[in-house]
Every structure is written in structure tokens, then in C-alpha cells.
Amino acid sequence: MSVEKTLSIIKPDAVKRDLTGKIIAMFEEKGLRVVAQKKILLSKEQAGSFYAVHRDRPFFDELCEFMSSGPIVVQVLQGSNAIDLNRQIMGATNPEQAETGTIRREFALSMTENSAHGSDSAETARDEINFFFSGLEVLQF
Ligand code: ATP
Ligand code: MG
């Protein structure tokens, strides 16, 4: 399988509860390496622009409020099959449906406050990495 990069976000509910280190350890244990990372606070508008595909969904306003409610950790993860692997490690969107041992099963508070985001395709990964990072900020090797 090919080495890929994917965009990961540790969401405000998890950063607030100091779960950043535990979540990074879960990625590293499964072979995903952090090749870029920063802690930032989004405005509601910036959150809306990141989640623009969900603009017309009923949960959009709540999602943007939440994503701008506190600091997030945005990171680029690299590894074999990184895009799918990251989503497996996160688990299902709804924590009640997420498998035991996944980030969302262990840590999520609700469907909205679900602790992590991961890109869902190669195209989205490229766009989402470019949304948060310049080329110089991402380790290339
Ligand atoms: P993400 O894009 O954050 O990795 P995902 O791909 O599993 O999550 P999406 O369908 O893209 O899920 O939804 C984006 C985010 O919007 C979810 O992670 C969750 O925080 C929120 N969300 C999705 N569906 C709902 C819902 N029905 N009610 C409340 N919030 C929701
Ligand atoms: Mg998604």
C-alpha cells in the first residue's frame, strides 16, 4: 500500500480534556507519524469555511460553534494507507456506533463533540492539508 498524508484534527472537546497526547499515541501505535502539527483557535467563519461541504446540513451551525469553541490541534499524519487507517483509528461518526478501542468510542461526548476529524479521500486530504499548512510547514521525506 502506498504512503499517504492525511489531515487530522483533534477537536475542542478532546483538547480541552488534555487528551491530545493519548490520541497521538493511538496514531503512532498504528503506524501513523506526525509530519506537521499546530494548536490553533478557529473563528466561527473559518470553521464554516473548512466544513463548507456541510453548509446545508441541519447540524452545520452547531458544528461551526463547536469547532470554534476552543483550541484544536491540526496535524498532518503520514503512513501506509494513512487516509483509511486514520478513519479506522477514529471510528464511526456516532460514538455509540464506534468500535471499542477507537478514539470516538473511548473519548467522544456526542455526535458533534466527537474528538477527532480525518480526511475522507485523497482529494480531500490534499485540499484540507493546504487549508491549514504551507508546504514549508510539512516535513517532506
Ligand atoms: P469528520 O469530517 O469530522 O472527520 P465524519 O467524516 O465522520 O467526521 P461528517 O459526515 O463529515 O462525519 O460530519 C462532519 C462532522 O459533523 C462530524 O464529525 C460531527 O462532528 C458533525 N456531525 C455529523 N453528523 C452530525 C449529526 N447528525 N448531528 C450532529 N453533528 C453531526
Ligand atoms: Mg467528514
Side-chain angles (χ1 to χ4, degrees):
M1 260 177 264
S2 63
V3 174
E4 297 172 336
K5 287 185 176 69
T6 193
L7 191 277
S8 161
I9 304 179
I10 304 175
K11 294 186 179 182
D13 66 289
V15 173
K16 213 171 283 172
R17 288 176 289 149
D18 290 318
L19 295 169
T20 302
K22 286 198 172 97
I23 290 175
I24 293 171
M26 289 163 87
F27 292 138
E28 290 180 338
E29 275 158 20
K30 296 271 167 63
L32 293 180
R33 183 168 283 161
V34 177
V35 293
Q37 178 166 275
K38 56 191 170 188
K39 185 181 275 189
I40 57 173
L41 178 62
L42 293 179
S43 66
K44 192 174 173 185
E45 291 66 35
Q46 288 167 331
S49 129
F50 178 73
Y51 274 121
V53 289
H54 296 311
R55 198 182 308 114
D56 299 324
R57 309 282 281 279
F59 57 81
F60 180 70
D61 192 64
E62 186 186 356
L63 176 61
C64 297
E65 274 294 338
F66 165 59
M67 288 301 288
S68 58
S69 68
I72 58 174
V73 173
V74 288
Q75 44 190 195
V76 180
L77 303 178
Q78 178 172 285
S80 176
N81 196 30
I83 296 164
D84 275 356
L85 179 57
N86 175 35
R87 289 181 68 87
Q88 285 168 32
I89 297 167
M90 287 196 302
T93 312
N94 181 345
E96 287 174 13
Q97 285 161 14
E99 282 182 44
T100 306
T102 60
I103 292 169
R104 285 165 169 173
R105 183 54 177 247
E106 300 305 311
F107 301 132
L109 301 175
S110 68
M111 184 93 155
T112 299
E113 300 195 50
N114 63 0
S115 304
H117 160 84
S119 308
D120 60 13
S121 71
E123 199 192 355
T124 329
R126 195 196 52 226
D127 292 348
E128 292 183 349
I129 289 168
N130 289 335
F131 184 91
F132 285 110
F133 294 98
S134 76
L136 271 176
E137 291 176 309
V138 182
L139 183 64
Q140 309 287 346
F141 72 102

